[in-house]
Amino acid sequence: MLATLCADDFIGLVGQYCSFQSEHHPELTLQIQAVKLRPQAQTPSATSRRTPFVVELAASPNTTVVDAVGRFTLPGHGTVETRQLDLVWIGRVIPAGRDPSLAYFQLPFN
């Protein structure tokens, strides 16, 4: 399923909330804050036509989770039903001028 997702699957969800569950961490509620295309991350030998992208996420309240693999549940929208993505990796990123009371994560797709 992860290989079939593209940036458009997330763009309609900006501002909405999703959940992330990991065996070793408490469940996180994450807000989808932005979707950024990263065409420069495309590998020259890639057989996929998908443009690499990053989904930027924020958790409130702040959490001690740094990096984790788990189940990511996307909310439904329009005619698309709620979807569960398994074995998803999220990585923590620094606030970089954003609200330091939140925890920021990225979900990269190559």
Side-chain angles (χ1 to χ4, degrees), residues 20-103:
F20 181 79
Q21 299 170 332
S22 175
E23 183 178 323
H24 304 289
H25 303 287
E27 182 174 342
L28 292 176
T29 298
L30 300 165
Q31 182 184 38
I32 299 172
Q33 294 201 316
V35 179
K36 300 207 175 165
L37 295 176
R38 299 287 189 230
Q40 68 277 17
Q42 185 83 40
T43 57
S45 62
T47 57
S48 171
R49 294 282 186 206
R50 173 174 75 187
T51 300
F53 64 99
V54 173
V55 180
E56 295 181 351
L57 308 160
S60 177
N62 204 334
T63 177
T64 59
V65 175
V66 178
D67 295 340
V69 174
R71 174 177 287 156
F72 197 79
T73 304
L74 294 172
H77 69 286
T79 59
V80 178
E81 294 184 23
T82 299
R83 293 176 282 177
Q84 289 190 351
L85 311 175
D86 291 315
L87 299 174
V88 171
W89 177 84
I90 61 170
R92 184 114 178 218
V93 295
I94 61 171
R98 297 176 282 189
D99 184 350
S101 68
L102 302 176

